């Protein structure tokens, strides 16, 4: 398992250096991510994401903000301007697992040819509509499948898949409770 | 509390008709949302969202798919092509609360002038990097603030804010555990 300088598009030397830096100074691991969001009309809203705090400083690498839109389909009273909020959760989960899989593969010297995910989440509107106290508002469950193309032995891929599940931030956020503090300003 | 035909961009008659239809036929409330995602390179991936099942049928209202990208900033070994996965979670949460607040306001005859959210989430990389079993991989906590402009009395706004917290799908997904089934194909 030699480490190439760049594998799967990941700078393995930088990855190892990051791990060493955090071992030497654990506070470098503390990140705070941020977003601001504004309602547009109906089911439509717009989120702006740019700066964050991490690795001991405010990040200034993003010259322009990212803008993400949300909306609902007509059957949910929207205009299909963008995916809805729970679909955005599926995107977040796939994006997170891709990073986790590919970075850890690179760290182990595994070349990934391709990686695809399919995701499905079941939701019963009784919760959102306040029609039942027994029905949760969010996804009742999520089904996810991976398809990986790599030369690595199947056993390695299975182990990697399991490791990534233990260390994926978004999978943790979905599978386990996160405290959310809500304040109403003004 | 009269109900206008359209308030806050929400068709209140359609909202009431949807609630009545679900009361008459609870299976109409069952939705399955979907996404497919493909790793691009390094920390970068691309999610495609289009169809879903809901209200008793496959939805065909979206003529074109939505494409969402994910990436990491350079400090996390990416190229800043897009927001990262945990930032996408903050977007999903804001988008969901906007829909919940505005739809329920419309149902109650409350006109919303503007609605904004600020969100922050703390994350310690020790979890993602596998450097600690004690540190969770995901957000340790999320702080969220609302700013609402409306003619409605403050008490009404506070009640609405509390009601939306009980019925928001994404807030539920984040605050409470969702079972996720993972399969490795092929």
């Amino acid at each position: 398992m030699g480490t190439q300088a760049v594998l799967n598009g990941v700078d393995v030397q930088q990855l190892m250096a990051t791990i060493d830096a955090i071992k030497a100074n654990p506070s470098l691991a503390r990140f705070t991510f941020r977003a601001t969001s504004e309602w547009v009309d109906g089911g439509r809203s717009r989120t702006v994401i740019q700066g964050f705090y991490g690795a001991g400083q405010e990040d200034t690498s993003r010259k322009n903000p990212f803008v993400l839109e949300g909306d609902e389909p007509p059957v949910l009273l929207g205009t299909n301007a963008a995916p809805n909020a729970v679909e955005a959760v599926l995107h977040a989960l796939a994006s997170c697992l891709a990073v986790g899989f590919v970075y850890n593969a690179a760290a182990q010297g595994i070349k990934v040819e391709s990686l695809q995910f399919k995701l499905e989440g079941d939701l019963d509107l009784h919760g959102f509509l306040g029609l039942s106290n027994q029905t949760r508002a969010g996804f009742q469950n999520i089904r996810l499948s991976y398809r990986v193309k790599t030369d690595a032995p199947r056993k390695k891929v299975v182990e990697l898949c399991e490791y990534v599940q233990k260390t994926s931030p978004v999978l943790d956020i979905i599978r386990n409770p996160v405290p959310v503090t809500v304040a109403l300003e003004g």
Side-chain angles (χ1 to χ4, degrees), chain A residues 87-114:
Chain A
E87 292 173 318
V89 169
L90 298 180
H91 159 66
L93 178 54
S95 165
C96 193
L97 293 170
V99 171
F101 193 91
V102 166
Y103 282 23
N104 283 292
Q108 294 182 26
I110 296 173
K111 183 169 165 56
V112 178
E113 298 290 342
S114 69

PDB file of all heavy atoms in Angstrom, chain A residues 87-114:
ATOM      1  N   GLU A  87     -35.169  16.163  -0.201  1.00  0.00           N
ATOM      2  CA  GLU A  87     -34.308  15.723  -1.314  1.00  0.00           C
ATOM      3  C   GLU A  87     -32.891  16.273  -1.126  1.00  0.00           C
ATOM      4  O   GLU A  87     -31.907  15.589  -1.433  1.00  0.00           O
ATOM      5  CB  GLU A  87     -34.901  16.165  -2.650  1.00  0.00           C
ATOM      6  CG  GLU A  87     -36.196  15.432  -2.990  1.00  0.00           C
ATOM      7  CD  GLU A  87     -36.897  15.965  -4.226  1.00  0.00           C
ATOM      8  OE1 GLU A  87     -36.962  17.209  -4.397  1.00  0.00           O
ATOM      9  OE2 GLU A  87     -37.411  15.156  -5.023  1.00  0.00           O
ATOM     10  N   ALA A  88     -32.802  17.495  -0.616  1.00  0.00           N
ATOM     11  CA  ALA A  88     -31.474  18.074  -0.331  1.00  0.00           C
ATOM     12  C   ALA A  88     -30.740  17.245   0.726  1.00  0.00           C
ATOM     13  O   ALA A  88     -29.510  17.139   0.699  1.00  0.00           O
ATOM     14  CB  ALA A  88     -31.604  19.532   0.108  1.00  0.00           C
ATOM     15  N   VAL A  89     -31.478  16.658   1.654  1.00  0.00           N
ATOM     16  CA  VAL A  89     -30.857  15.778   2.657  1.00  0.00           C
ATOM     17  C   VAL A  89     -30.254  14.543   1.973  1.00  0.00           C
ATOM     18  O   VAL A  89     -29.133  14.122   2.308  1.00  0.00           O
ATOM     19  CB  VAL A  89     -31.880  15.346   3.735  1.00  0.00           C
ATOM     20  CG1 VAL A  89     -31.318  14.231   4.609  1.00  0.00           C
ATOM     21  CG2 VAL A  89     -32.289  16.538   4.599  1.00  0.00           C
ATOM     22  N   LEU A  90     -30.961  13.989   0.996  1.00  0.00           N
ATOM     23  CA  LEU A  90     -30.421  12.825   0.275  1.00  0.00           C
ATOM     24  C   LEU A  90     -29.134  13.213  -0.466  1.00  0.00           C
ATOM     25  O   LEU A  90     -28.163  12.451  -0.489  1.00  0.00           O
ATOM     26  CB  LEU A  90     -31.460  12.263  -0.705  1.00  0.00           C
ATOM     27  CG  LEU A  90     -32.757  11.727  -0.086  1.00  0.00           C
ATOM     28  CD1 LEU A  90     -33.688  11.200  -1.185  1.00  0.00           C
ATOM     29  CD2 LEU A  90     -32.488  10.631   0.950  1.00  0.00           C
ATOM     30  N   HIS A  91     -29.154  14.394  -1.066  1.00  0.00           N
ATOM     31  CA  HIS A  91     -27.931  14.888  -1.722  1.00  0.00           C
ATOM     32  C   HIS A  91     -26.784  15.016  -0.721  1.00  0.00           C
ATOM     33  O   HIS A  91     -25.653  14.592  -0.987  1.00  0.00           O
ATOM     34  CB  HIS A  91     -28.191  16.244  -2.390  1.00  0.00           C
ATOM     35  CG  HIS A  91     -26.945  17.038  -2.625  1.00  0.00           C
ATOM     36  ND1 HIS A  91     -25.961  16.634  -3.498  1.00  0.00           N
ATOM     37  CD2 HIS A  91     -26.486  18.186  -2.055  1.00  0.00           C
ATOM     38  CE1 HIS A  91     -24.959  17.504  -3.475  1.00  0.00           C
ATOM     39  NE2 HIS A  91     -25.252  18.446  -2.604  1.00  0.00           N
ATOM     40  N   ALA A  92     -27.067  15.617   0.416  1.00  0.00           N
ATOM     41  CA  ALA A  92     -26.027  15.817   1.433  1.00  0.00           C
ATOM     42  C   ALA A  92     -25.427  14.474   1.857  1.00  0.00           C
ATOM     43  O   ALA A  92     -24.208  14.342   2.013  1.00  0.00           O
ATOM     44  CB  ALA A  92     -26.605  16.554   2.648  1.00  0.00           C
ATOM     45  N   LEU A  93     -26.281  13.489   2.009  1.00  0.00           N
ATOM     46  CA  LEU A  93     -25.810  12.168   2.442  1.00  0.00           C
ATOM     47  C   LEU A  93     -24.906  11.542   1.376  1.00  0.00           C
ATOM     48  O   LEU A  93     -23.812  11.043   1.689  1.00  0.00           O
ATOM     49  CB  LEU A  93     -27.012  11.262   2.742  1.00  0.00           C
ATOM     50  CG  LEU A  93     -26.682   9.834   3.165  1.00  0.00           C
ATOM     51  CD1 LEU A  93     -25.728   9.792   4.358  1.00  0.00           C
ATOM     52  CD2 LEU A  93     -27.970   9.064   3.480  1.00  0.00           C
ATOM     53  N   ALA A  94     -25.325  11.600   0.136  1.00  0.00           N
ATOM     54  CA  ALA A  94     -24.509  11.018  -0.940  1.00  0.00           C
ATOM     55  C   ALA A  94     -23.177  11.749  -1.054  1.00  0.00           C
ATOM     56  O   ALA A  94     -22.120  11.119  -1.190  1.00  0.00           O
ATOM     57  CB  ALA A  94     -25.270  11.081  -2.261  1.00  0.00           C
ATOM     58  N   SER A  95     -23.231  13.062  -0.986  1.00  0.00           N
ATOM     59  CA  SER A  95     -22.014  13.872  -1.106  1.00  0.00           C
ATOM     60  C   SER A  95     -21.028  13.520  -0.003  1.00  0.00           C
ATOM     61  O   SER A  95     -19.819  13.392  -0.225  1.00  0.00           O
ATOM     62  CB  SER A  95     -22.423  15.349  -1.050  1.00  0.00           C
ATOM     63  OG  SER A  95     -21.332  16.185  -0.814  1.00  0.00           O
ATOM     64  N   CYS A  96     -21.537  13.336   1.186  1.00  0.00           N
ATOM     65  CA  CYS A  96     -20.698  13.015   2.346  1.00  0.00           C
ATOM     66  C   CYS A  96     -20.061  11.631   2.215  1.00  0.00           C
ATOM     67  O   CYS A  96     -18.870  11.455   2.472  1.00  0.00           O
ATOM     68  CB  CYS A  96     -21.561  13.070   3.607  1.00  0.00           C
ATOM     69  SG  CYS A  96     -20.601  13.066   5.117  1.00  0.00           S
ATOM     70  N   LEU A  97     -20.862  10.658   1.798  1.00  0.00           N
ATOM     71  CA  LEU A  97     -20.334   9.298   1.672  1.00  0.00           C
ATOM     72  C   LEU A  97     -19.308   9.209   0.547  1.00  0.00           C
ATOM     73  O   LEU A  97     -18.336   8.458   0.637  1.00  0.00           O
ATOM     74  CB  LEU A  97     -21.483   8.305   1.436  1.00  0.00           C
ATOM     75  CG  LEU A  97     -22.430   8.140   2.627  1.00  0.00           C
ATOM     76  CD1 LEU A  97     -23.650   7.330   2.221  1.00  0.00           C
ATOM     77  CD2 LEU A  97     -21.720   7.489   3.817  1.00  0.00           C
ATOM     78  N   ALA A  98     -19.507   9.996  -0.500  1.00  0.00           N
ATOM     79  CA  ALA A  98     -18.532  10.008  -1.599  1.00  0.00           C
ATOM     80  C   ALA A  98     -17.182  10.508  -1.091  1.00  0.00           C
ATOM     81  O   ALA A  98     -16.142   9.894  -1.341  1.00  0.00           O
ATOM     82  CB  ALA A  98     -19.040  10.875  -2.746  1.00  0.00           C
ATOM     83  N   VAL A  99     -17.202  11.631  -0.374  1.00  0.00           N
ATOM     84  CA  VAL A  99     -15.958  12.182   0.185  1.00  0.00           C
ATOM     85  C   VAL A  99     -15.303  11.160   1.114  1.00  0.00           C
ATOM     86  O   VAL A  99     -14.101  10.878   1.013  1.00  0.00           O
ATOM     87  CB  VAL A  99     -16.225  13.495   0.961  1.00  0.00           C
ATOM     88  CG1 VAL A  99     -14.985  13.945   1.719  1.00  0.00           C
ATOM     89  CG2 VAL A  99     -16.693  14.597   0.012  1.00  0.00           C
ATOM     90  N   GLY A 100     -16.081  10.603   2.002  1.00  0.00           N
ATOM     91  CA  GLY A 100     -15.534   9.652   2.973  1.00  0.00           C
ATOM     92  C   GLY A 100     -14.931   8.431   2.292  1.00  0.00           C
ATOM     93  O   GLY A 100     -13.826   7.993   2.636  1.00  0.00           O
ATOM     94  N   PHE A 101     -15.642   7.914   1.319  1.00  0.00           N
ATOM     95  CA  PHE A 101     -15.155   6.714   0.639  1.00  0.00           C
ATOM     96  C   PHE A 101     -13.872   7.006  -0.128  1.00  0.00           C
ATOM     97  O   PHE A 101     -12.883   6.278  -0.031  1.00  0.00           O
ATOM     98  CB  PHE A 101     -16.236   6.170  -0.309  1.00  0.00           C
ATOM     99  CG  PHE A 101     -15.942   4.787  -0.793  1.00  0.00           C
ATOM    100  CD1 PHE A 101     -16.419   3.680  -0.103  1.00  0.00           C
ATOM    101  CD2 PHE A 101     -15.181   4.582  -1.931  1.00  0.00           C
ATOM    102  CE1 PHE A 101     -16.132   2.393  -0.533  1.00  0.00           C
ATOM    103  CE2 PHE A 101     -14.885   3.304  -2.368  1.00  0.00           C
ATOM    104  CZ  PHE A 101     -15.361   2.203  -1.674  1.00  0.00           C
ATOM    105  N   VAL A 102     -13.891   8.077  -0.891  1.00  0.00           N
ATOM    106  CA  VAL A 102     -12.775   8.381  -1.797  1.00  0.00           C
ATOM    107  C   VAL A 102     -11.539   8.826  -1.011  1.00  0.00           C
ATOM    108  O   VAL A 102     -10.415   8.428  -1.337  1.00  0.00           O
ATOM    109  CB  VAL A 102     -13.236   9.427  -2.829  1.00  0.00           C
ATOM    110  CG1 VAL A 102     -12.058  10.033  -3.560  1.00  0.00           C
ATOM    111  CG2 VAL A 102     -14.208   8.767  -3.814  1.00  0.00           C
ATOM    112  N   TYR A 103     -11.714   9.620   0.037  1.00  0.00           N
ATOM    113  CA  TYR A 103     -10.557  10.054   0.837  1.00  0.00           C
ATOM    114  C   TYR A 103      -9.924   8.855   1.555  1.00  0.00           C
ATOM    115  O   TYR A 103      -8.707   8.715   1.584  1.00  0.00           O
ATOM    116  CB  TYR A 103     -10.972  11.102   1.878  1.00  0.00           C
ATOM    117  CG  TYR A 103     -11.171  12.507   1.343  1.00  0.00           C
ATOM    118  CD1 TYR A 103     -11.455  12.750   0.007  1.00  0.00           C
ATOM    119  CD2 TYR A 103     -11.087  13.609   2.190  1.00  0.00           C
ATOM    120  CE1 TYR A 103     -11.644  14.043  -0.463  1.00  0.00           C
ATOM    121  CE2 TYR A 103     -11.278  14.904   1.732  1.00  0.00           C
ATOM    122  CZ  TYR A 103     -11.564  15.114   0.401  1.00  0.00           C
ATOM    123  OH  TYR A 103     -11.755  16.384  -0.063  1.00  0.00           O
ATOM    124  N   ASN A 104     -10.765   8.029   2.155  1.00  0.00           N
ATOM    125  CA  ASN A 104     -10.215   6.886   2.874  1.00  0.00           C
ATOM    126  C   ASN A 104      -9.601   5.867   1.926  1.00  0.00           C
ATOM    127  O   ASN A 104      -8.594   5.231   2.257  1.00  0.00           O
ATOM    128  CB  ASN A 104     -11.284   6.255   3.769  1.00  0.00           C
ATOM    129  CG  ASN A 104     -11.512   7.077   5.029  1.00  0.00           C
ATOM    130  OD1 ASN A 104     -10.629   7.145   5.882  1.00  0.00           O
ATOM    131  ND2 ASN A 104     -12.661   7.718   5.127  1.00  0.00           N
ATOM    132  N   ALA A 105     -10.204   5.711   0.742  1.00  0.00           N
ATOM    133  CA  ALA A 105      -9.598   4.846  -0.268  1.00  0.00           C
ATOM    134  C   ALA A 105      -8.206   5.375  -0.623  1.00  0.00           C
ATOM    135  O   ALA A 105      -7.230   4.615  -0.664  1.00  0.00           O
ATOM    136  CB  ALA A 105     -10.485   4.772  -1.511  1.00  0.00           C
ATOM    137  N   ALA A 106      -8.108   6.678  -0.855  1.00  0.00           N
ATOM    138  CA  ALA A 106      -6.817   7.280  -1.204  1.00  0.00           C
ATOM    139  C   ALA A 106      -5.794   7.035  -0.095  1.00  0.00           C
ATOM    140  O   ALA A 106      -4.639   6.672  -0.365  1.00  0.00           O
ATOM    141  CB  ALA A 106      -6.978   8.779  -1.462  1.00  0.00           C
ATOM    142  N   ALA A 107      -6.214   7.210   1.147  1.00  0.00           N
ATOM    143  CA  ALA A 107      -5.304   7.010   2.283  1.00  0.00           C
ATOM    144  C   ALA A 107      -4.798   5.575   2.340  1.00  0.00           C
ATOM    145  O   ALA A 107      -3.691   5.307   2.800  1.00  0.00           O
ATOM    146  CB  ALA A 107      -5.997   7.377   3.585  1.00  0.00           C
ATOM    147  N   GLN A 108      -5.629   4.630   1.860  1.00  0.00           N
ATOM    148  CA  GLN A 108      -5.246   3.213   1.874  1.00  0.00           C
ATOM    149  C   GLN A 108      -4.603   2.762   0.568  1.00  0.00           C
ATOM    150  O   GLN A 108      -4.347   1.567   0.380  1.00  0.00           O
ATOM    151  CB  GLN A 108      -6.473   2.352   2.170  1.00  0.00           C
ATOM    152  CG  GLN A 108      -7.025   2.559   3.562  1.00  0.00           C
ATOM    153  CD  GLN A 108      -8.223   1.653   3.835  1.00  0.00           C
ATOM    154  OE1 GLN A 108      -8.359   0.577   3.235  1.00  0.00           O
ATOM    155  NE2 GLN A 108      -9.099   2.075   4.727  1.00  0.00           N
ATOM    156  N   GLY A 109      -4.402   3.680  -0.361  1.00  0.00           N
ATOM    157  CA  GLY A 109      -3.779   3.323  -1.635  1.00  0.00           C
ATOM    158  C   GLY A 109      -4.720   2.610  -2.596  1.00  0.00           C
ATOM    159  O   GLY A 109      -4.284   1.939  -3.520  1.00  0.00           O
ATOM    160  N   ILE A 110      -6.026   2.751  -2.385  1.00  0.00           N
ATOM    161  CA  ILE A 110      -7.024   2.103  -3.254  1.00  0.00           C
ATOM    162  C   ILE A 110      -7.485   3.095  -4.322  1.00  0.00           C
ATOM    163  O   ILE A 110      -8.010   4.166  -3.989  1.00  0.00           O
ATOM    164  CB  ILE A 110      -8.240   1.625  -2.432  1.00  0.00           C
ATOM    165  CG1 ILE A 110      -7.820   0.551  -1.434  1.00  0.00           C
ATOM    166  CG2 ILE A 110      -9.362   1.135  -3.346  1.00  0.00           C
ATOM    167  CD1 ILE A 110      -8.925   0.137  -0.466  1.00  0.00           C
ATOM    168  N   LYS A 111      -7.320   2.717  -5.559  1.00  0.00           N
ATOM    169  CA  LYS A 111      -7.774   3.575  -6.657  1.00  0.00           C
ATOM    170  C   LYS A 111      -9.245   3.296  -6.946  1.00  0.00           C
ATOM    171  O   LYS A 111      -9.636   2.144  -7.172  1.00  0.00           O
ATOM    172  CB  LYS A 111      -6.932   3.290  -7.903  1.00  0.00           C
ATOM    173  CG  LYS A 111      -7.284   4.185  -9.083  1.00  0.00           C
ATOM    174  CD  LYS A 111      -6.241   4.059 -10.194  1.00  0.00           C
ATOM    175  CE  LYS A 111      -6.760   4.660 -11.502  1.00  0.00           C
ATOM    176  NZ  LYS A 111      -7.177   6.070 -11.348  1.00  0.00           N
ATOM    177  N   VAL A 112     -10.056   4.341  -6.921  1.00  0.00           N
ATOM    178  CA  VAL A 112     -11.493   4.198  -7.203  1.00  0.00           C
ATOM    179  C   VAL A 112     -11.724   4.594  -8.664  1.00  0.00           C
ATOM    180  O   VAL A 112     -11.369   5.702  -9.074  1.00  0.00           O
ATOM    181  CB  VAL A 112     -12.324   5.102  -6.264  1.00  0.00           C
ATOM    182  CG1 VAL A 112     -13.813   4.983  -6.583  1.00  0.00           C
ATOM    183  CG2 VAL A 112     -12.060   4.757  -4.806  1.00  0.00           C
ATOM    184  N   GLU A 113     -12.285   3.660  -9.434  1.00  0.00           N
ATOM    185  CA  GLU A 113     -12.592   3.970 -10.846  1.00  0.00           C
ATOM    186  C   GLU A 113     -13.893   4.775 -10.942  1.00  0.00           C
ATOM    187  O   GLU A 113     -13.986   5.762 -11.650  1.00  0.00           O
ATOM    188  CB  GLU A 113     -12.758   2.670 -11.664  1.00  0.00           C
ATOM    189  CG  GLU A 113     -11.524   1.795 -11.714  1.00  0.00           C
ATOM    190  CD  GLU A 113     -10.403   2.403 -12.541  1.00  0.00           C
ATOM    191  OE1 GLU A 113     -10.666   3.318 -13.345  1.00  0.00           O
ATOM    192  OE2 GLU A 113      -9.236   1.975 -12.344  1.00  0.00           O
ATOM    193  N   SER A 114     -14.899   4.293 -10.245  1.00  0.00           N
ATOM    194  CA  SER A 114     -16.181   5.012 -10.222  1.00  0.00           C
ATOM    195  C   SER A 114     -16.932   4.661  -8.943  1.00  0.00           C
ATOM    196  O   SER A 114     -16.661   3.630  -8.312  1.00  0.00           O
ATOM    197  CB  SER A 114     -17.032   4.673 -11.456  1.00  0.00           C
ATOM    198  OG  SER A 114     -17.474   3.334 -11.377  1.00  0.00           O
TER     199      SER A 114
END
